[in-house]
Amino acid sequence: MKKVVIETTVSLVFYVLLAIALATTVNGFYEMQQLYAQMEEVTFEEGETYLLGNEFVIDILRLETTFTVYGGTESEPENVLYTFSMLPWGILILFSIPWMIYSYKTRNRALGFSMFASSMTEFADSDERETLITNAATRKAYQSCGYSAPILATVLVVYPLFYDYIPALPVFLILGVLAIATSVYGIVWVREYRK
């Protein structure tokens, strides 16, 4: 039971970190798109020149990618700078490495790496009782996907109204479905195990 609780909790943390990293990236590209659209609007003026630059900056406290737009006339240069943080991706990678090591060490190594890399880490089926518990928990998790996915998908109907405020909403919805299913799996597994 301990392994299932740990793996379920770690999976939920992974989904949250992944959502934050993806949302940061989506928001960064959205703001770059806004800057690029503004740049294109101005390029039609005579004498305006624009260059889009990309720099990768490593700082002690932050890891970030900087996009710089250089432009304007020769007499009035203009610099527009946008930076989005790579820190969430770094945290996600640093979190994933120990998790993969732990998952690999607690698995049946006779299955091989391909089975390890392609299967869910929460599944526990060392004996017949655990197999039945895993089947019941998997069934409930699948049912929760059947309920939560359509409900969260209906939110996408009004998404265009909020695109400017929350450009990464689909990322949160997709990972929300995974987080709900994983939570249901863990709760049902523990409940069935304690019976």
Side-chain angles (χ1 to χ4, degrees), residues 34 51 55-56 65 75 80-81 133 141-143 157 171 193:
Q34 297 297 99
L51 297 169
E55 304 166 9
F56 188 66
T65 302
S75 60
V80 180
L81 179 69
I133 293 170
Y142 179 72
Q143 288 173 347
V157 172
V171 170
Y193 186 81

Side-chain angles (χ1 to χ4, degrees), residues 66-169:
T66 304
F67 292 91
T68 310
V69 179
Y70 303 99
T73 62
E74 291 180 8
S75 60
E76 295 179 17
E78 175 186 338
N79 289 335
V80 180
L81 179 69
Y82 179 71
T83 301
F84 70 93
S85 178
M86 297 295 285
L87 187 62
W89 288 104
I91 292 172
L92 180 67
I93 291 169
L94 289 176
F95 177 80
S96 298
I97 292 170
W99 179 32
M100 287 177 19
I101 293 169
Y102 170 79
S103 296
Y104 184 73
K105 287 188 174 191
T106 58
R107 288 241 178 144
N108 182 1
R109 293 189 187 154
L111 299 176
F113 184 76
S114 62
M115 190 65 172
F116 162 74
S118 64
S119 65
M120 300 297 290
T121 56
E122 294 87 1
F123 290 158
D125 50 5
S126 60
D127 60 13
E128 188 176 326
R129 179 173 182 256
E130 282 189 355
T131 302
L132 293 174
I133 293 170
T134 300
N135 290 342
T138 304
R139 187 176 305 112
K140 291 293 184 185
Y142 179 72
Q143 288 173 347
S144 73
C145 280
Y147 295 127
S148 63
I151 291 169
L152 294 176
T154 56
V155 175
L156 291 176
V157 172
V158 295
Y159 171 61
L161 300 173
F162 302 106
Y163 178 72
D164 289 335
Y165 306 107
I166 312 171
L169 182 64

Side-chain angles (χ1 to χ4, degrees), residues 20-46:
I20 291 169
L22 288 172
T24 302
T25 305
V26 168
N27 288 338
F29 283 121
Y30 172 76
E31 291 196 19
M32 275 182 34
Q33 175 191 8
Q34 297 297 99
L35 287 173
Y36 190 70
Q38 291 172 1
M39 184 180 68
E40 284 184 348
E41 290 174 9
V42 182
T43 54
F44 292 106
E45 296 178 18
E46 191 172 324

